[in-house]
């Protein structure tokens, strides 16, 4: 893999200007505004979703409202990588923001659940285009020394939405109706469009090498992208129905995914080859193990320990703050020589946090242990997730930043879907479906093994990720 040539420093860079210096201020505020939009949508819309599904008589299709977003976003990530490498990140980012807003409006005006799901799918297309384009912007516009700082700013931008988003969404849903959550959010699009796009046009538009011939889209990778979306969709469908007939779509999805994923991720990813392949693999293992475990924590606390839904949510809510703290730590210049060591420590913290969760199934263990463990795990993940982004851009030539960023996001999104589907299937097989229908006040005598069978394998995945984190260096000095 060729390394990007060093870019000539601007005067303000030489004098120590940061991400909020005169040169980068508009770009930084604009890109953070884009992330804020995505973060607010992720936290607010999820709160309104159950009410929307009930009013649209679509509880049976509820899971598809989530899976449709992830399925189309995987395709959009591959498309965005090629588009950004070919024409620069400005066009795919603009298209992504507009598609994101259009999807919200389509869901907000839906009269049937299937139209609602279609809106979520359009939203996923926009989200996939946006996230990859932002990575290319960072690689193009910011010098290497400023990239950890902007990644830390992205992480911090999730803190406020994670706290106030559900509260605002709940109040709006209760007082005005769920449609206002979806139809009102697109108003926020105006701010990132006004701030980010002019700065991107000035600092990161056009192809990486304007003198090179303009290449066509890679039709093979587009087909692979469609394949990964269809394969994931089949697996998600099968995971929701544990009947024997569901084995057919599961087998078809797996058969489709294996060659497709091997074609989209860097060669050597699955054997943790040193350098970029291990960076991509680690991102998936870190994100997937964390998301799959976190998804079952509130349910465990409500059904097994009698907490209210609000307290159960707050028990892991502090993680947003510690995640930002971990991301901030990795952004400090003095931490750069120790980045790989920080990532190993981060994965060990994640492993310990997930491994602690099953202990709360024992009544003698206080429930506040969950909050402490999850705060520690999120601190570790804050270091790991931001650092994988920094290392990916460091190891990517400018003309490959889009494709490599797409691979990183595919690893992230695909592992979330697959590990969550596997955990959910195991949970349901051991009686999780009946557990979900009870609360502690209802006297549920649920088998706690249904939760343990989710948490223990995810802790093993996280521990394996700590080993992968030792293979990020391509030489003695990265």
């Amino acid at each position: 893999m060729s390394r990007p040539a060093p870019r000539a420093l601007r005067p303000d860079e030489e004098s120590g200007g940061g991400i909020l210096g005169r040169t980068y201020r508009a770009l930084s505020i604009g890109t953070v505004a884009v992330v804020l939009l995505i973060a607010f949508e992720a936290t607010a819309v999820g709160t309104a979703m159950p009410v929307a599904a009930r009013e649209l008589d679509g509880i049976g299709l509820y899971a598809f409202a989530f899976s449709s977003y992830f399925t189309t976003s995987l395709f959009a990530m591959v498309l965005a990588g090629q588009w950004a490498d070919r024409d620069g990140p400005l066009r795919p980012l603009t298209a992504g923001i507009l598609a994101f807003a259009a999807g919200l409006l389509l869901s907000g005006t839906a009269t049937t659940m299937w139209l609602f799901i279609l809106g979520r799918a359009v939203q996923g297309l926009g989200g996939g285009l946006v996230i990859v384009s932002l990575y290319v912007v960072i690689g193009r516009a910011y010098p290497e020394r400023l990239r950890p700082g902007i990644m830390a700013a992205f992480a911090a931008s999730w803190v406020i939405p994670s706290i106030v988003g559900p509260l605002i969404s709940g109040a709006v849903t209760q007082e005005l109706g769920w449609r206002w959550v979806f139809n009102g959010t697109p108003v926020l699009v105006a701010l990132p469009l006004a701030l980010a796009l002019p700065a991107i046009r000035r600092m990161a538009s056009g192809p990486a090498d304007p003198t090179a011939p303009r290449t066509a889209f890679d039709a093979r990778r587009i087909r692979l992208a469609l394949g990964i979306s269809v394969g994931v969709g089949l697996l998600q469908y099968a995971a929701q129905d544990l009947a024997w007939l569901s084995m057919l779509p599961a087998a078809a999805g797996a058969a489709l995914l294996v060659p497709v994923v091997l074609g989209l991720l860097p060669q050597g990813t699955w054997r943790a080859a040193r350098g970029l392949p291990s960076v991509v693999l680690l991102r998936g293992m870190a994100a997937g193990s964390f998301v799959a475990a976190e998804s079952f924590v509130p349910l465990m606390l409500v059904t097994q320990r009698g907490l209210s839904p609000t307290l159960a949510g707050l028990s892991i809510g502090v993680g947003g703050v510690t995640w930002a703290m971990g991301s901030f730590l990795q952004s400090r210049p003095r931490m750069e020589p120790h980045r790989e060591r920080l990532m190993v420590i981060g994965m060990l913290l994640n492993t310990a946090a997930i491994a602690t969760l099953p202990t709360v199934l024992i009544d003698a263990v206080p429930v506040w242990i969950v909050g402490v463990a999850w705060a520690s795990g999120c601190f570790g993940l804050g270091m790991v997730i931001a650092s994988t982004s920094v290392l990916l851009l460091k190891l990517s030539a400018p003309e490959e930043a889009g494709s490599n960023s797409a691979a990183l996001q595919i690893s992230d999104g695909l592992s979330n879907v697959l590990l969550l589907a596997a955990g959910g299937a195991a949970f349901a097989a051991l009686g999780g479906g009946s557990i979900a229908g009870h609360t502690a006040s209802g006297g549920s005598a649920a088998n706690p093994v249904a939760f343990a069978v989710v948490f223990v394998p995810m802790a093993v995945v996280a521990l394996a990720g700590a080993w992968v984190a030792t293979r990020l260096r391509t030489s003695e000095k990265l």
Side-chain angles (χ1 to χ4, degrees):
M1 180 72 66
S2 58
R3 299 286 295 276
R7 182 172 63 84
L9 293 177
R10 296 186 179 92
D12 71 318
E13 294 173 18
E14 294 175 347
S15 62
I19 61 173
L20 292 179
R22 183 176 59 184
T23 300
Y24 299 103
R25 186 179 301 128
L27 180 62
S28 298
I29 295 175
T31 53
V32 167
V34 174
V35 177
L36 273 170
L37 170 66
I38 296 174
F40 182 80
E41 181 277 337
T43 55
V45 169
T47 304
M49 201 92 74
V51 180
R54 185 174 64 246
E55 290 193 8
L56 294 173
D57 195 23
I59 295 295
L61 300 173
Y62 182 74
F64 286 104
F66 291 95
S67 62
S68 61
Y69 181 98
F70 290 117
T71 300
T72 55
S73 67
L74 288 170
F75 169 76
M77 289 170 187
V78 179
L79 177 63
Q82 288 200 48
W83 196 354
D85 285 341
R86 181 175 181 262
D87 298 326
L90 182 62
R91 291 179 181 175
L93 181 62
T94 305
I97 293 175
L98 294 177
F100 193 82
L104 283 167
L105 290 173
L106 183 56
S107 291
T109 57
T111 55
T112 68
M113 191 61 180
W114 280 115
L115 282 176
F116 183 89
I117 291 170
L118 177 62
R120 292 286 292 164
V122 174
Q123 210 180 324
L125 286 172
L129 290 172
V130 167
I131 191 65
V132 172
S133 300
L134 283 178
Y135 273 67
V136 178
V137 168
I138 294 169
R140 295 271 189 92
Y142 292 90
E144 189 174 302
R145 69 177 183 84
L146 293 183
R147 291 172 190 164
I150 192 64
M151 291 296 179
F154 285 0
S157 67
W158 277 82
V159 174
I160 294 178
S162 67
I163 296 173
V164 305
L167 298 176
I168 294 175
S169 176
V172 171
T173 300
Q174 183 175 343
E175 300 298 328
L176 301 176
W178 65 268
R179 294 184 186 276
W180 282 91
V181 176
F182 289 86
N183 294 333
T185 303
V187 175
L188 302 176
V189 168
L191 179 63
L193 283 175
L195 289 176
L197 298 188
I200 293 172
R201 183 180 294 109
R202 184 176 69 255
M203 302 177 67
S205 62
D209 183 2
T211 63
R214 193 165 182 261
T215 59
F217 282 98
D218 186 340
R220 174 180 172 273
R221 289 186 68 84
I222 297 297
R223 289 194 298 270
L224 291 176
L226 287 172
I228 199 172
S229 295
V230 174
V232 164
L234 289 172
L235 284 177
Q236 288 176 321
Y237 174 79
Q240 296 171 44
D241 182 10
L242 297 180
W244 284 107
L245 286 178
S246 67
M247 295 296 293
L248 295 177
L256 190 59
L257 274 181
V258 171
V260 164
V261 172
L262 290 176
L264 288 174
L265 299 185
Q267 186 175 2
T269 296
W270 296 115
R271 56 183 175 83
R274 290 191 176 275
L276 184 64
S278 285
V279 173
V280 172
L281 178 60
L282 176 61
R283 177 60 164 262
M285 298 175 79
S289 60
F290 175 84
V291 169
E294 185 184 50
S295 299
F296 288 88
V297 173
L299 183 62
M300 177 187 69
L301 294 177
V302 170
T303 61
Q304 302 298 297
R305 298 303 299 267
L307 268 66
S308 68
T310 301
L311 285 177
L314 288 175
S315 67
I316 58 176
V318 69
V321 177
T322 56
W323 186 299
M325 291 169 60
S327 186
F328 175 79
L329 178 63
Q330 65 79 38
S331 72
R332 299 298 84 198
R334 66 178 179 275
M335 292 297 171
E336 183 60 36
H338 312 292
R339 182 172 300 282
E340 292 76 24
R341 187 175 303 171
L342 287 176
M343 297 172 78
V344 174
I345 294 172
M347 288 306 299
L348 291 176
L349 289 173
N350 185 35
T351 302
I354 298 174
T356 300
L357 296 176
T359 67
V360 184
L361 294 167
I362 303 171
D363 290 338
V365 177
V367 293
W368 55 260
I369 290 293
V370 171
V372 174
W374 216 240
S376 173
C378 287
F379 181 81
L381 262 292
M383 294 190 293
V384 173
I385 298 299
S387 290
T388 55
S389 303
V390 172
L391 286 178
L392 177 114
L393 294 173
K394 188 174 184 178
L395 294 170
S396 299
E399 65 275 7
E400 298 172 334
S403 296
N404 289 344
S405 296
L408 189 75
Q409 295 302 324
I410 288 170
S411 179
D412 188 319
L414 184 62
S415 65
N416 287 346
V417 171
L418 295 183
L419 291 180
L420 189 55
F427 180 75
L430 290 174
S434 61
I435 294 172
H438 293 77
T439 63
S441 61
S444 172
N447 184 359
V449 174
F451 290 98
V453 80
V454 174
F455 298 137
V456 173
M458 297 311 152
V460 173
V461 172
L463 183 60
W467 172 78
V468 174
T470 67
R471 300 181 57 80
L472 303 178
R473 289 178 179 268
T474 55
S475 61
E476 194 60 30
K477 184 176 182 181
L478 189 63

